[in-house]
Structure formats: structure tokens, C-alpha cells
């Protein structure tokens, strides 16, 4: 699974949870319908904007990383970030493996 796919899965869950929280809080607070609608609309746009920015960032990351555009990375001031991303991606892959092993162990124990 690609880095972006893992990140996007987590982002989707977080966005859904935050939208649900915004809806619940605004309704419980007894805000006017118009104010509640405006807050929900703003939250929806913030979520969409965050997704678009994340997709853009991922596209740039993949292009720079795959084609080894070190000069571009240097010009954009993102060379250090690329290293951090690569390290954290490797850690996430390792954690995914550990989780998979633990799930298999638990399934064997249940059988």
C-alpha cells in the first residue's frame, strides 16, 4: 500500500469524526440554524481544502521522489522533509507488518 493510501485512510476517518463532532456540538449548543449551517459549511470547505492540499502535496512528493529531482527538492526547500517522510513511511510499513502478525496470532488463538 502506498504512503498516500495509508495517510488518506487515516485522514478520512479523522475528517468524518471531526465533522460529526462539529454537528453534535453546534446542535447541543443551541445555536441558531443559520449559524449552525454556516459553521457546517465552513467545516466542509476546510475539509475539502485540506484534502486537496494533501493530494497536491502527495503528487509533488511522488514526482520528486520517483524521478529523484534533488535539485527541485532543494529549490523548494523540501529536501530534509523528503528524508523525514521516507523514514516515517518505512516505520509505518514495519508497524503494518507487526499489526498483521498480531492479527494472525489472534486469529490462530481463536481457532
Amino acid at each position: 500500500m502506498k504512503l498516500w493510501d495509508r495517510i488518506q485512510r487515516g485522514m478520512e476517518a479523522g475528517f468524518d469524526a471531526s465533522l460529526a463532532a462539529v454537528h453534535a456540538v453546534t446542535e447541543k449548543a443551541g445555536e441558531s440554524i443559520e449559524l449552525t449551517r454556516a459553521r457546517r459549511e465552513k467545516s466542509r470547505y476546510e475539509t475539502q481544502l485540506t484534502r486537496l492540499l494533501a493530494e497536491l502535496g502527495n503528487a509533488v512528493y511522488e514526482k520528486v521522489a520517483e524521478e529523484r529531482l534533488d535539485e527541485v527538492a532543494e529549490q523548494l526547500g523540501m529536501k530534509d522533509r523528503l528524508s523525514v517522510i521516507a523514514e516515517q513511511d518505512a516505520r509505518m510499513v514495519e508497524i503494518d507488518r507487526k499489526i498483521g502478525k498480531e492479527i494472525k496470532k489472534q486469529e490462530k488463538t481463536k481457532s
Side-chain angles (χ1 to χ4, degrees):
M1 181 181 292
K2 284 189 171 189
L3 173 62
W4 173 244
D5 294 330
R6 289 192 305 273
I7 292 171
Q8 188 173 22
R9 191 173 24 166
M11 283 177 46
E12 292 294 329
F15 291 146
D16 292 344
S18 67
L19 278 176
V22 167
H23 295 305
V25 168
T26 54
E27 287 173 3
K28 287 181 182 178
E31 293 179 346
S32 72
I33 292 173
E34 280 304 310
L35 184 55
T36 300
R37 283 185 187 149
R39 288 181 193 262
R40 287 181 181 176
E41 184 177 13
K42 181 182 178 205
S43 179
R44 190 172 52 251
Y45 280 116
E46 286 173 341
T47 300
Q48 289 172 352
L49 181 59
T50 301
R51 286 179 181 154
L52 289 170
L53 287 169
E55 288 172 6
L56 174 63
N58 183 66
V60 170
Y61 167 74
E62 285 185 358
K63 184 79 169 172
V64 169
E66 286 175 7
E67 296 184 17
R68 305 234 183 247
L69 302 174
D70 294 332
E71 214 173 283
V72 173
E74 191 70 43
Q75 289 173 352
L76 294 174
M78 58 188 260
K79 195 163 185 144
D80 291 337
R81 289 186 190 137
L82 288 174
S83 298
V84 171
I85 290 169
E87 289 171 11
Q88 290 183 359
D89 184 30
R91 288 183 188 136
M92 284 189 344
V93 168
E94 184 59 32
I95 291 169
D96 282 343
R97 281 192 207 124
K98 288 179 184 178
I99 290 170
K101 287 178 184 178
E102 285 299 316
I103 290 172
K104 285 181 183 179
K105 282 181 187 178
Q106 289 178 3
E107 288 174 353
K108 285 182 181 179
T109 318
K110 290 179 183 179
S111 299

